[in-house]
Amino acid sequence: MSVTPRTITAAQLTAAAATYYTAPANTKSIVKKLTFTNNDASAHTFTVYLVPSGGTASAANILIKDQAIAAGECAECYQAAGQVLQVGGTIQALADAASPVTLPGAIAEVV
């Protein structure tokens, strides 16, 4: 068994659920850290989904919903730490407005 650390490259959230990480073939992925940064002068909210392979973002797989983040602040999504994604599982997220909130993160891929 080998463990490879991976970075979720910082990306701006959209106003609709979008995929920011997909667990690769023959791999289990352990979420180490998700951090959200509000680059706007106004407060915003974000929602995070852990979606199984072949699924879609829905109420059944919400990890955190409408988490508030103040203007210019960062917020850790502690609920994500330690969560395991099976092959094809995804991390999806959205914000209440497109662009002002970014998401970088860290994953450990286990083969």
Side-chain angles (χ1 to χ4, degrees):
M1 173 172 58
S2 67
V3 178
T4 304
R6 298 279 185 225
T7 299
I8 298 173
T9 303
Q12 294 179 322
L13 299 186
T14 60
T19 300
Y20 296 92
Y21 175 81
T22 302
N26 304 314
T27 303
K28 288 184 182 179
S29 299
I30 303 167
V31 180
K32 295 300 193 179
K33 187 174 190 175
L34 296 179
T35 304
F36 294 83
T37 303
N38 182 354
N39 299 303
D40 199 15
S42 301
H44 289 283
T45 63
F46 63 88
T47 298
V48 179
Y49 304 86
L50 295 182
V51 182
S53 180
T56 58
S58 69
N61 50 43
I62 287 178
L63 182 63
I64 188 166
K65 182 173 175 38
D66 296 331
Q67 175 68 47
I69 183 170
E73 295 295 320
C74 293
E76 299 291 329
C77 183
Y78 296 108
Q79 298 86 338
Q83 297 287 335
V84 177
L85 293 169
Q86 301 299 324
V87 172
T90 61
I91 296 173
Q92 297 186 33
L94 62 86
D96 63 341
S99 298
V101 179
T102 58
L103 163 65
I107 299 283
E109 294 178 345
V110 182
V111 179

